[in-house]
Amino acid sequence: FIKKEDLKDFATKDEMNEKFDQVLTAVDNLAKSVKYFQAEMAANQGAHDRMSDNINNHEVRIKRLSRYAGDLT
């Protein structure tokens, strides 16, 4: 059987609520960090896509100019 003195090391309801509050606050902070990170990644991907499109456009223009220059020689 459990004696009253055996229960003295158990956390009280208020202590447990405080611990859960701390854990949930930490989880909230992590969730916010992930949200901001995902937004930053999306912005970086957009910038990368734009740069890639510019590079491809330049490659097409260089090929056209090379063909045109070849016709002149």
Side-chain angles (χ1 to χ4, degrees):
F1 292 103
I2 297 176
K3 297 176 187 169
K4 190 172 187 175
E5 64 188 44
D6 294 333
L7 299 176
K8 69 179 180 170
D9 294 330
F10 280 82
T12 65
K13 182 178 179 179
D14 288 339
E15 290 170 335
M16 289 301 296
N17 284 338
E18 184 178 331
K19 291 295 179 187
F20 281 127
D21 219 23
Q22 291 173 354
V23 169
L24 291 176
T25 299
V27 169
D28 284 345
N29 289 335
L30 287 172
K32 286 178 187 175
S33 294
V34 169
K35 180 180 174 182
Y36 292 134
F37 178 76
Q38 289 173 335
E40 187 68 26
M41 289 297 293
N44 286 340
Q45 185 63 45
H48 178 269
D49 290 347
R50 284 189 301 278
M51 284 188 269
S52 183
D53 290 345
N54 284 339
I55 290 169
N56 290 336
N57 185 26
H58 290 309
E59 288 174 352
V60 169
R61 292 173 62 202
I62 289 168
K63 286 177 186 176
R64 285 183 191 156
L65 290 171
S66 294
R67 273 190 261 136
Y68 177 74
D71 291 344
L72 294 177
T73 57

